[in-house]
Amino acid sequence: MNAKEVKIFIVDDDKMQSELLKDSLSKHNNYSIKIFHTGEECLKHLDEKPEIIFLDYTLSSENKNAKNGTEILRAIKRSDSNSEVVMFTGQEKIEIAIDTLTHGAFDYIIKNESAFHRAEIAVKNILKRHKLEKENSFYKKLLTIILIIIGILAVIVFTLYQTGHITDNVGFQI
């Protein structure tokens, strides 16, 4: 596990499915995992800054007026675009998959016999991507600093040349 604890939210109205996914993800890693049975409940806790949210598409078993996964996905992306959302659903319709991916989902996993394995791979890929983004940010800052130093040195050399402190004449002058 990384030095920083990884926070994962699971949003699914199927309590058994939520616990199975939690157990599967916890099996090999010590993630901080919270389960929410409605999308609206999850939205109230986004201030906890989860790195990953597993989100079911159909969230209406407890409340028939509940928002669906795409509506919750949009709300998550509006409030905290740093959380990666993995749609984890029984919906096999390609239109729904395309819609959720278009709205910013990192992956779309259909609940089947390979779903938990794919969920573990999705977590690893997200964490790898976050690591690469941090490294990229570091190297961009380093490059900016180097370019600033080169610019300052160029100004100093130009100023010294203009004032006669350095010259392009080679040799001794008597």
Side-chain angles (χ1 to χ4, degrees):
M1 188 175 93
N2 298 338
K4 181 179 169 256
E5 189 173 49
V6 177
K7 290 182 186 176
I8 298 176
F9 285 2
I10 297 172
V11 185
D12 196 330
D13 56 346
D14 182 337
K15 292 177 174 140
M16 175 73 84
Q17 189 72 39
S18 301
E19 287 297 329
L20 289 171
L21 179 57
K22 180 180 180 179
D23 290 345
S24 175
L25 293 174
S26 299
K27 182 172 37 177
H28 302 293
N29 298 294
N30 188 23
Y31 301 133
S32 171
I33 300 175
K34 286 191 173 181
I35 296 175
F36 301 98
H37 298 293
T38 68
E40 291 80 3
E41 186 181 349
C42 170
L43 293 175
K44 292 176 186 176
H45 292 272
L46 286 179
D47 60 331
E48 296 176 31
K49 305 283 186 213
E51 283 86 358
I52 303 168
I53 301 173
F54 283 91
L55 178 62
D56 186 23
Y57 178 78
T58 310
L59 297 167
S60 59
S61 69
E62 289 187 11
N63 177 1
K64 299 301 177 198
N65 296 321
K67 293 180 180 178
N68 69 32
T70 303
E71 294 167 321
I72 298 299
L73 170 63
R74 288 182 195 146
I76 290 169
K77 289 301 180 179
R78 275 194 304 270
S79 68
D80 182 15
S81 61
N82 292 324
S83 293
E84 295 289 356
V85 178
V86 176
M87 297 305 291
F88 194 79
T89 182
Q91 289 293 322
E92 296 186 32
K93 295 179 182 173
I94 191 72
E95 303 84 24
I96 294 173
I98 291 170
D99 188 42
T100 59
L101 293 169
T102 301
H103 286 96
F106 181 84
D107 200 353
Y108 190 90
I109 299 173
I110 297 171
K111 295 176 185 173
N112 59 24
E113 62 278 347
S114 66
F116 296 133
H117 177 69
R118 289 199 55 216
E120 291 171 21
I121 291 171
V123 170
K124 288 177 185 173
N125 288 338
I126 289 168
L127 296 178
K128 200 179 299 182
R129 178 178 167 183
H130 286 179
K131 181 182 176 197
L132 290 172
E133 287 172 348
K134 286 179 186 175
E135 289 174 1
N136 185 35
S137 175
F138 169 77
Y139 287 121
K140 280 183 178 180
K141 290 174 185 174
L142 183 61
L143 180 61
T144 301
I145 290 169
I146 290 170
L147 291 174
I148 289 170
I149 291 170
I150 290 171
I152 290 169
L153 288 174
V155 169
I156 290 170
V157 168
F158 179 77
T159 303
L160 291 173
Y161 183 77
Q162 290 295 323
T163 59
H165 288 90
I166 59 173
T167 179
D168 56 358
N169 294 334
V170 181
F172 294 102
Q173 291 185 350
I174 302 182

